[in-house]
Amino acid sequence: MMRPLVLAVLFLSTAAVAASSPPHHPLDPLSAAELSAVRAAVLASPLVPARPLSFHYVGLDEPDKPDVLSYYAAASTSSPAALPQRHAFVIARAGGQSHELLVDVTNATATVLSHAVHRGAGFPSITDADQAAAMALPPQYAPFVASVRWRGLDVGDVACGVVSRGWFGASQPDYGGARVAKMVCAVVGDGDGAATANVYARPLEGVTLVVDLDRMAIVGYEDTGVRPVPKAQGTDYRADKVGPPFTGPETKPGVVVQPEGRGFHIDGHVVRWANWEFHVAFDMRAGTVISLASVYDADAGKWRRVLYRGFVSEIFVPYMDPDEDWYFRTFIDAGDYGLGVSAVPLLRGADCPANAAYMDGVYLDAAGEPVTSEDVICVFERYAGDIAWRHSDPYMQITEVRPDVTLVVRMVVTVGNYDYILDWEFKTSGAIKLAVSLTGMLEMKATAYTDAGQIKVDAHGTLVAENTVGVYHDHFVTYRLDLDVDGTSNSFVKNTLVQMRNTGDSGTGTPRRSYWTVRREVAETEADARVDVNGAPPAELLFVNPARRTAVGNEAGYRVVPAGATAASLLADDDYPQRRASYTKKQVWVTPYNRSEKWAPGLYAEQGTGDDSLAAWSSRDRRIRDEDIVLWYTVGLHHVPYQEDFPVMPTVSGGVELRPANFFERNQLIGTRPPSEFTYQNCSCGAAAM
Amino acid sequence: MMRPLVLAVLFLSTAAVAASSPPHHPLDPLSAAELSAVRAAVLASPLVPARPLSFHYVGLDEPDKPDVLSYYAAASTSSPAALPQRHAFVIARAGGQSHELLVDVTNATATVLSHAVHRGAGFPSITDADQAAAMALPPQYAPFVASVRWRGLDVGDVACGVVSRGWFGASQPDYGGARVAKMVCAVVGDGDGAATANVYARPLEGVTLVVDLDRMAIVGYEDTGVRPVPKAQGTDYRADKVGPPFTGPETKPGVVVQPEGRGFHIDGHVVRWANWEFHVAFDMRAGTVISLASVYDADAGKWRRVLYRGFVSEIFVPYMDPDEDWYFRTFIDAGDYGLGVSAVPLLRGADCPANAAYMDGVYLDAAGEPVTSEDVICVFERYAGDIAWRHSDPYMQITEVRPDVTLVVRMVVTVGNYDYILDWEFKTSGAIKLAVSLTGMLEMKATAYTDAGQIKVDAHGTLVAENTVGVYHDHFVTYRLDLDVDGTSNSFVKNTLVQMRNTGDSGTGTPRRSYWTVRREVAETEADARVDVNGAPPAELLFVNPARRTAVGNEAGYRVVPAGATAASLLADDDYPQRRASYTKKQVWVTPYNRSEKWAPGLYAEQGTGDDSLAAWSSRDRRIRDEDIVLWYTVGLHHVPYQEDFPVMPTVSGGVELRPANFFERNQLIGTRPPSEFTYQNCSCGAAAM
């Protein structure tokens, strides 16, 4: 990303920044007022004269890390700390080009600082405006109308949506470098209103359009033939269509009551709870961004940094059907659409429990209008009935138990059919657990099959209902985690468990023939830190701070502990989608801190080639020992659909835990109050609110 | 196990069975009355005249499976069903031999049906009486007294406990076939009362005794030298010793309130909740036994079996220190001690939340007296704030969310230092999740080291505090799961995900170069069903019922889904402990149903050789296709200790999920009520009970 400094006053664009509720933390997301000022500054700038101009990304351009750390250090000593300059980074489309702008929003007047045109491969995200405008095109396109009528339907019964065509090199037409995408369609009505809201269950199989999103015109079309449209019956998921009667399993309701009130405090974007403090922000591409997460060390009497900044960098969802209508479905959700843009309002009391607090997010739509996503992040204390630690000693008649309470920061990102529940769970043990839960709908393919016994070739999926195949696919959710374990200078350690023989001269002479021990290796360069967590022999992976040792001389560290969902990509290395997300062959990568290395498949991920991706950066084999280093962790799931996934999927989960490892002198929870002080009686609720 | 039928009335022993609260389900555990009748019958029998006689195992001898299934089928049709005969299986020690007896407790008079003497390797469990009696021996043993004084301590400051010496073939003395064990010791006082309750933190390193448990005499002794005793300060975990002040993280309390009451019903030992029904029993060796777990299929309008019987078969915990005092620490907890015997009373409101119900267990102690373990199992509905399924459609302005509620059946088993929280979690999706959570204390080794920098050789562990090494070790928790997927005749299927090329003549002609598909293999014999779940390429594992197909022709099945903790043993195959638990090299084994194959390392696990173990049975390579088959799943963790594990360990978890896979026609939860019907206001609690 080039950032030339433009000095001539003549070229500065200015716009007023509203003074209301100014951000007061350097990592606070851009406010609606700042966003509006960005829009005005960009549109007033002579640097991008082409129109129309659409905004595809506007977000806080992360301040330089040393500036943030200085600010943070000064703030904690109660000295007045000057906020670093606030900049917005903008990607806009105009004149058939992708434009990068840096806009200063520090002052009342917003100023365009720099501008560059993207010359490489790939495009910015597909916007809601792209979708809305493109949806209107097929009904005006004669071949599409013919295809629909050939299937005995009306164009009013069908709706189409834009999906990335991926990148397949010269195997796909270039369209003169235009920003093109595919469109796939579904049957949404039966002539007299919507027969089902589950559009994914009734695809209009065989019809694919190619749309030029900048000219907003259909430029390609294919109809590979009629397949039956799966029936609507049994596909809906709306409560008022499913029942009454509701025949599903009956459970009694439960409400978490906090008799002493909530345990967390939200001050602007800073959350404080138990022994944790962190900053929560919203970004239109990353969704939730957690920054400056620090844990209180009761023995040392001070706050210690764990995570400087963490967010979901990308969600790669390749489908495993190589046929004409499906081969390109290799979604890269953050880059193609934006996770923050796709985040949905949380349903209070259902997506999050009754004791949750909510935060909004705001971003600019394509036209540059601020859009507020209400209730897009929730924060709640979880009382799952788990145990934090316990011990019974029957001989001494001792029982000590400490129930566990955790803090969850949740966002739900719905990208088309799939709903991703993305949780950051903070534990009083000092651990942070990142969890990905998947639900929503399968992506389904219409087929003539009505019985699995009819299938004689590879159907690339499971017959989940009549005429309906749930196509095989993968999910790879990649986190960028700039861990700063008690400071910025860290190392990456692999502690491999190796079998040792205890025989002969090198043995101890006891009858034991073997045991395992730990062989410690410190990664020198990036090549040492590409890890398949399912490999053998097993290894524990840590970020350590070599300059911080405990009282008994162990290096302070945090361990990276996979928590299920450790699938790695099975695509061939030379396959186009795999080249774009080649990092998905290993769950763990470590790179030196680089502010521009944020998005695992690259900044321009939509139709990107992977030339500017995590694996490409890592191939530079840079030094990562005693450096400011970043962890990239990918949660992976292979999905073979089953009928239980139809018409909606029961939630499945996986993730990773960052767990203190010789970070503390001892278990921080040894000093927690026993539960006898917390026994409440007479807990009840008033009448149900219907 | 031999079961000769003894016909002569002369040899029948009889005893009265009390008529109060007779069991009314064939799988109900033996009641206190039945247990007492067993004792009386055994002691009255001329078949085992030697005295003293100690009881090491007394449990329900599982009725023949066809009889139970017939009973169950008849009961569900409201026809009177005759209970199968009730038998108790007994292992007793007398005259230096292990005696197996089968005792009929069906009628008011208990009758010994058969008797056999165990001629093979291994011994039954070490009892609490063994422990109590053995503890009294060291202070009377002169070399021990000398060792204690050499260390500047009084014998009153030290206590010793019995641990299995494992099996090491001819490398350990035979002691004439006597039932011997080791004893290891800890410093429990400092001359003026207990300095810490955490005996594991202050081992009396170097001192090991050998005790003959039948003669109750010390028969061996070793003192390998004085090591410092770690200081007591900072090791205690009792609330009144740790504080006030309590300096640990502060959280606010939370209570789950159920405004419409509890959703589950317990009728005797049968639990009914939502769409689940199952039987819960207590066994002194297995702990919790779940039987006849069936799920209601709303579409089919009937109950369908999932799990005939499931329990923890063994917990193998080998330590990785080959030194003289440690090499033998290769615990086999169910066989060495019994998980039910080791189960502790649950602390209400802490081990289990406020909305839990509790069940007791009863077993016979060594003397044959019934021991009631109060509150040894709890059952509760968990409202963790998770989501069962959801979908948002912003275009159609639809949001549908169903919060998740699950049912947990919990037991805590404390074997010396370690506390195992063993959960069976039932989900309305039709899944059952088995979870193992570990807490309690590390097994610690005293050492001269006060700083990790002093360590120049392999310490076989982590220096977790001054003079204290947390020794490396593993946990392997093996479940025996007799899945009966909609019937007894099942097959085991491996669906391997294989990469396919899409190039050349066998390709589709699209630009996509690869994808994965599923290659299905049905296991014919046991050799086909020994699976390393971390192997490549990945595979989904299912129990299917080939005779049950869905409406679209898929085989009904349940999938075995690892949920973290998939470690496999790293010991050498020829190492003695590994020979005893060789099954720990694979997480998954499948065997044909065999009522005597219950305990993975064998019936006589204590000092057993592995000759009668899961791997030995499996080596018969029996047919498992279209058979009544049993799943053996091992949850495995490697434990490299960290300072956070000191003085007590924060809970870590792992497990496995049994998940319906084409078992149902569709997601059972599509017909659940929306949460809008469950919004309660004004939930609060009365004053805290201090």
Side-chain angles (χ1 to χ4, degrees):
Chain A
M1 184 187 71
M2 299 195 301
R3 300 176 61 188
L5 203 53
V6 180
L7 297 173
V9 171
L10 192 62
F11 292 99
L12 290 177
S13 309
T14 63
V17 174
S20 61
S21 306
H24 50 276
H25 190 291
L27 297 174
D28 279 351
L30 297 173
S31 66
E34 288 176 315
L35 288 166
S36 293
V38 168
R39 173 185 187 272
V42 168
L43 291 177
S45 168
L47 295 171
V48 191
R51 292 294 180 269
L53 181 148
S54 51
F55 292 88
H56 291 253
Y57 176 81
V58 182
L60 180 73
D61 183 59
E62 218 182 296
D64 286 330
K65 193 167 172 180
D67 293 344
V68 174
L69 293 174
S70 302
Y71 167 85
Y72 195 79
S76 63
T77 62
S78 309
S79 313
L83 274 170
Q85 296 219 314
R86 282 176 69 75
H87 296 163
F89 177 66
V90 178
I91 299 179
R93 288 284 298 176
Q97 295 180 312
S98 299
H99 300 260
E100 296 176 23
L101 299 108
L102 197 68
V103 181
D104 191 317
V105 295
T106 310
N107 305 309
T109 49
T111 315
V112 173
L113 296 177
S114 70
H115 164 254
V117 171
H118 173 59
R119 302 290 178 200
F123 294 94
S125 62
I126 298 163
T127 65
D128 286 344
D130 289 332
Q131 288 277 6
M135 283 175 72
L137 298 178
Q140 318 296 332
Y141 189 71
F144 174 76
V145 177
S147 291
V148 170
R149 288 184 179 152
W150 185 23
R151 288 162 169 78
L153 298 163
D154 276 352
V155 288
D157 296 333
V158 181
C160 306
V162 178
V163 297
S164 172
R165 67 170 185 156
W167 169 68
F168 290 87
S171 307
Q172 282 182 328
D174 186 44
Y175 295 101
R179 185 167 74 102
V180 300
K182 300 255 192 183
M183 296 186 77
V184 295
C185 312
V187 178
V188 298
D190 265 345
D192 58 351
T196 178
N198 191 346
V199 300
Y200 307 101
R202 310 192 76 209
L204 191 77
E205 203 68 41
V207 172
T208 313
L209 305 97
V210 184
V211 57
D212 179 328
L213 293 172
D214 288 334
R215 287 178 43 231
M216 215 31 87
I218 304 295
V219 298
Y221 188 79
E222 200 164 38
D223 183 346
T224 59
V226 179
R227 271 66 130 215
V229 178
K231 63 182 194 288
Q233 183 200 1
T235 65
D236 215 330
Y237 62 99
R238 293 173 289 181
D240 59 354
K241 301 296 177 188
V242 171
F246 292 101
T247 59
E250 293 271 347
T251 57
K252 291 282 171 69
V255 182
V256 169
V257 178
Q258 295 187 276
E260 295 185 16
R262 230 176 231 166
F264 62 89
H265 295 92
I266 302 181
D267 176 17
H269 286 269
V270 175
V271 179
R272 295 184 177 89
W273 170 77
N275 50 344
W276 279 103
E277 180 183 279
F278 56 89
H279 180 276
V280 184
F282 173 92
D283 177 84
M284 64 188 288
R285 182 167 179 168
T288 299
V289 181
I290 302 291
S291 303
L292 295 167
S294 299
V295 67
Y296 189 73
D297 183 330
D299 295 319
K302 62 177 182 174
W303 290 90
R304 299 170 63 195
R305 177 72 35 71
V306 176
L307 177 69
Y308 177 73
R309 201 153 167 88
F311 53 85
V312 175
S313 176
E314 194 49 82
I315 299 182
F316 175 47
V317 189
Y319 280 77
M320 298 299 149
D321 188 328
D323 291 348
E324 183 63 31
D325 304 308
W326 281 79
Y327 77 88
F328 53 89
R329 304 193 199 203
T330 50
F331 302 99
I332 292 190
D333 289 334
D336 288 353
Y337 303 107
L339 303 183
V341 173
S342 307
V344 294
L346 297 161
L347 187 60
R348 296 192 174 213
D351 279 319
C352 309
N355 58 322
Y358 295 82
M359 300 171 74
D360 296 344
V362 62
Y363 64 96
L364 280 189
D365 67 11
E369 294 301 326
V371 175
T372 297
S373 275
E374 291 187 3
D375 290 356
V376 79
I377 292 172
C378 75
V379 182
F380 65 92
E381 289 155 289
R382 162 180 275 152
Y383 298 86
D386 290 330
I387 294 166
W389 68 264
R390 78 169 318 286
H391 189 64
S392 288
D393 189 323
Y395 294 105
M396 295 198 215
Q397 301 192 327
I398 297 167
T399 299
E400 291 287 350
V401 184
R402 304 290 180 272
D404 201 18
V405 187
T406 61
L407 187 77
V408 178
V409 179
R410 170 171 294 169
M411 171 180 278
V412 172
V413 172
T414 302
V415 189
N417 53 307
Y418 255 102
D419 294 61
Y420 295 90
I421 305 161
L422 300 165
D423 288 351
W424 296 76
E425 184 172 20
F426 293 84
K427 303 187 177 187
T428 52
S429 61
I432 306 174
K433 184 167 176 193
L434 285 49
V436 177
S437 301
L438 295 92
T439 177
M441 281 75 175
L442 290 172
E443 189 134 326
M444 292 173 267
K445 181 178 191 181
T447 165
Y449 298 126
T450 54
D451 187 281
Q454 301 160 354
I455 303 175
K456 305 303 178 192
V457 297
D458 192 346
H460 307 299
T462 305
L463 192 69
V464 294
E466 283 189 1
N467 305 114
T468 314
V469 166
V471 179
Y472 303 143
H473 60 281
D474 291 333
H475 300 268
F476 298 107
V477 180
T478 301
Y479 289 84
R480 178 187 183 275
L481 302 165
D482 182 4
L483 286 161
D484 278 2
V485 175
D486 210 12
T488 52
S489 194
N490 292 163
S491 296
F492 180 67
V493 171
K494 276 186 295 189
N495 280 337
T496 305
L497 276 53
V498 292
Q499 183 197 90
M500 304 292 289
R501 295 290 299 181
N502 185 47
T503 47
D505 290 341
S506 60
T508 58
T510 64
R512 184 71 173 268
R513 290 183 174 160
S514 68
Y515 57 96
W516 58 256
T517 192
V518 171
R519 184 184 65 213
R520 179 173 174 277
E521 295 167 89
V522 182
E524 297 286 346
T525 64
E526 295 178 272
D528 302 328
R530 304 171 191 141
V531 183
D532 171 2
V533 301
N534 297 314
E540 306 214 331
L541 308 174
L542 298 94
F543 266 54
V544 302
N545 186 329
R548 299 272 189 270
R549 288 180 181 272
T550 63
V552 291
N554 292 307
E555 276 181 340
Y558 257 74
R559 207 181 130 203
V560 181
V561 187
T566 56
S569 177
L570 292 170
L571 295 177
D573 288 335
D574 68 333
D575 200 359
Y576 290 99
Q578 187 58 36
R579 289 166 61 178
R580 301 171 66 203
S582 53
Y583 57 86
T584 54
K585 287 292 171 83
K586 307 278 186 189
Q587 296 83 4
V588 171
W589 299 71
V590 179
T591 56
Y593 174 82
N594 184 317
R595 70 192 310 282
S596 68
E597 292 172 8
K598 285 190 154 82
W599 314 110
L603 178 62
Y604 293 91
E606 207 277 302
Q607 300 181 64
T609 61
D611 288 349
D612 174 34
S613 68
L614 173 53
W617 311 327
S618 171
S619 70
R620 292 175 219 164
D621 207 23
R622 297 163 291 182
R623 180 184 160 81
I624 56 169
R625 181 170 190 160
D626 289 329
E627 296 287 344
D628 188 356
I629 53 178
V630 174
L631 168 70
W632 303 78
Y633 187 92
T634 298
V635 176
L637 292 100
H638 297 304
H639 196 166
V640 174
Y642 292 95
Q643 288 187 227
E644 286 80 4
D645 291 329
F646 181 87
V648 300
M649 291 178 281
T651 305
V652 296
S653 303
V656 61
E657 184 167 301
L658 307 172
R659 186 181 300 166
N662 298 332
F663 185 82
F664 297 110
E665 294 294 340
R666 56 178 188 157
N667 184 350
Q668 289 295 288
L669 306 183
I670 191 64
T672 49
R673 291 177 198 280
S676 58
E677 301 192 12
F678 297 125
T679 305
Y680 284 87
Q681 316 279 8
N682 307 319
C683 296
S684 63
C685 295
M690 296 310 233
Chain B
M1 181 186 76
M2 301 194 301
R3 300 175 63 189
L5 203 53
V6 180
L7 298 171
V9 172
L10 192 61
F11 292 100
L12 290 177
S13 307
T14 64
V17 173
S20 63
S21 306
H24 51 275
H25 190 290
L27 297 174
D28 279 351
L30 297 172
S31 65
E34 288 176 315
L35 289 166
S36 293
V38 168
R39 173 183 188 271
V42 169
L43 292 177
S45 168
L47 295 171
V48 191
R51 293 294 180 271
L53 182 149
S54 51
F55 292 87
H56 291 253
Y57 176 79
V58 183
L60 180 73
D61 184 61
E62 216 182 296
D64 286 330
K65 192 167 174 180
D67 293 344
V68 174
L69 293 174
S70 301
Y71 167 85
Y72 196 79
S76 62
T77 63
S78 308
S79 314
L83 274 171
Q85 296 219 315
R86 281 176 69 76
H87 297 163
F89 177 66
V90 178
I91 299 179
R93 288 285 297 176
Q97 294 180 314
S98 299
H99 300 260
E100 296 175 23
L101 298 108
L102 196 68
V103 181
D104 191 317
V105 296
T106 310
N107 305 311
T109 49
T111 315
V112 174
L113 295 176
S114 68
H115 165 253
V117 170
H118 173 59
R119 302 290 179 199
F123 294 94
S125 62
I126 297 164
T127 65
D128 286 345
D130 288 332
Q131 289 277 7
M135 283 176 72
L137 297 178
Q140 318 297 331
Y141 189 72
F144 174 78
V145 177
S147 292
V148 170
R149 288 185 179 151
W150 184 25
R151 288 162 170 77
L153 299 163
D154 276 350
V155 289
D157 295 334
V158 182
C160 306
V162 178
V163 297
S164 172
R165 68 171 185 154
W167 169 69
F168 291 87
S171 308
Q172 283 182 327
D174 187 46
Y175 296 99
R179 186 167 73 104
V180 299
K182 300 255 192 183
M183 296 186 78
V184 295
C185 312
V187 179
V188 299
D190 267 345
D192 57 353
T196 179
N198 191 344
V199 300
Y200 307 101
R202 310 193 76 211
L204 193 77
E205 203 68 43
V207 172
T208 313
L209 304 98
V210 184
V211 57
D212 179 328
L213 293 172
D214 289 333
R215 287 178 42 231
M216 214 31 86
I218 304 295
V219 297
Y221 187 80
E222 199 164 38
D223 183 345
T224 59
V226 179
R227 271 68 129 214
V229 178
K231 64 183 194 287
Q233 184 200 359
T235 66
D236 215 328
Y237 62 100
R238 293 172 289 181
D240 58 356
K241 301 296 178 190
V242 171
F246 292 101
T247 59
E250 292 272 347
T251 57
K252 292 281 171 70
V255 183
V256 169
V257 178
Q258 296 186 277
E260 296 185 14
R262 230 175 232 169
F264 61 89
H265 295 94
I266 303 180
D267 176 16
H269 286 268
V270 175
V271 179
R272 296 186 176 87
W273 170 78
N275 51 344
W276 280 104
E277 180 183 279
F278 56 89
H279 180 277
V280 185
F282 174 93
D283 178 84
M284 64 188 288
R285 181 166 179 168
T288 300
V289 182
I290 301 291
S291 302
L292 295 166
S294 299
V295 67
Y296 188 73
D297 183 331
D299 296 319
K302 61 176 182 174
W303 290 89
R304 298 169 65 195
R305 176 74 34 71
V306 177
L307 177 70
Y308 177 73
R309 200 153 166 87
F311 53 85
V312 175
S313 177
E314 194 49 83
I315 300 182
F316 174 48
V317 188
Y319 281 77
M320 298 299 150
D321 188 328
D323 292 346
E324 183 63 31
D325 305 308
W326 280 81
Y327 77 88
F328 53 90
R329 304 194 199 201
T330 51
F331 303 99
I332 293 190
D333 289 334
D336 288 352
Y337 302 108
L339 302 183
V341 173
S342 308
V344 294
L346 298 161
L347 186 60
R348 295 190 174 214
D351 278 319
C352 309
N355 58 324
Y358 295 82
M359 300 171 74
D360 296 343
V362 62
Y363 64 96
L364 279 190
D365 67 11
E369 293 301 326
V371 175
T372 298
S373 274
E374 290 186 6
D375 290 355
V376 78
I377 292 172
C378 75
V379 183
F380 66 93
E381 289 153 291
R382 160 179 277 151
Y383 298 87
D386 290 331
I387 294 165
W389 68 265
R390 80 170 317 286
H391 188 65
S392 288
D393 190 322
Y395 295 106
M396 295 197 215
Q397 301 193 325
I398 296 167
T399 300
E400 290 287 351
V401 184
R402 303 291 180 273
D404 201 18
V405 185
T406 62
L407 187 77
V408 178
V409 178
R410 170 172 294 169
M411 170 180 279
V412 172
V413 172
T414 302
V415 190
N417 52 309
Y418 255 102
D419 294 61
Y420 296 91
I421 304 161
L422 300 166
D423 288 352
W424 296 76
E425 186 173 18
F426 294 83
K427 303 187 176 186
T428 51
S429 62
I432 307 174
K433 184 168 177 193
L434 285 51
V436 178
S437 302
L438 297 91
T439 178
M441 280 76 176
L442 289 171
E443 189 134 327
M444 291 173 266
K445 181 178 190 180
T447 164
Y449 298 126
T450 54
D451 188 283
Q454 302 160 354
I455 303 174
K456 306 302 178 192
V457 297
D458 192 344
H460 307 298
T462 305
L463 191 69
V464 294
E466 285 189 358
N467 305 114
T468 313
V469 166
V471 179
Y472 302 144
H473 59 281
D474 291 333
H475 300 268
F476 298 106
V477 180
T478 301
Y479 288 83
R480 179 187 182 274
L481 302 166
D482 183 5
L483 286 162
D484 277 2
V485 176
D486 210 10
T488 52
S489 195
N490 293 163
S491 296
F492 181 67
V493 171
K494 277 186 293 189
N495 280 337
T496 305
L497 276 53
V498 292
Q499 184 197 91
M500 305 292 290
R501 294 292 297 183
N502 186 47
T503 48
D505 291 339
S506 60
T508 58
T510 63
R512 185 72 173 268
R513 290 182 172 162
S514 67
Y515 57 95
W516 58 256
T517 193
V518 172
R519 183 182 67 213
R520 178 173 175 277
E521 295 167 88
V522 182
E524 297 285 347
T525 64
E526 295 179 272
D528 301 329
R530 302 172 192 138
V531 183
D532 171 3
V533 300
N534 296 315
E540 306 214 332
L541 309 173
L542 298 95
F543 266 55
V544 301
N545 186 329
R548 298 272 188 269
R549 287 181 183 272
T550 64
V552 292
N554 291 307
E555 277 181 340
Y558 258 73
R559 205 179 133 205
V560 181
V561 188
T566 57
S569 178
L570 291 169
L571 295 177
D573 289 334
D574 67 334
D575 200 359
Y576 291 100
Q578 188 58 36
R579 290 166 60 179
R580 300 170 68 203
S582 54
Y583 58 85
T584 53
K585 288 290 170 87
K586 306 278 187 189
Q587 296 83 6
V588 171
W589 299 70
V590 179
T591 58
Y593 175 83
N594 183 316
R595 69 190 310 281
S596 68
E597 293 173 8
K598 285 190 153 80
W599 313 112
L603 177 62
Y604 292 91
E606 206 279 302
Q607 299 181 65
T609 61
D611 289 348
D612 175 34
S613 68
L614 172 53
W617 311 327
S618 172
S619 72
R620 292 175 220 163
D621 206 21
R622 298 162 291 183
R623 179 183 159 82
I624 56 169
R625 182 169 189 161
D626 289 330
E627 297 286 346
D628 187 356
I629 51 178
V630 173
L631 168 70
W632 302 78
Y633 187 91
T634 298
V635 176
L637 291 100
H638 297 303
H639 195 166
V640 173
Y642 293 94
Q643 289 188 227
E644 286 80 3
D645 292 327
F646 182 88
V648 301
M649 290 178 282
T651 305
V652 296
S653 302
V656 61
E657 184 166 301
L658 307 172
R659 187 182 296 168
N662 298 331
F663 185 81
F664 297 110
E665 293 294 341
R666 56 177 189 158
N667 183 349
Q668 290 294 289
L669 305 183
I670 192 65
T672 49
R673 291 178 197 280
S676 58
E677 302 193 10
F678 298 124
T679 305
Y680 283 87
Q681 316 280 8
N682 305 322
C683 297
S684 65
C685 295
M690 299 308 234

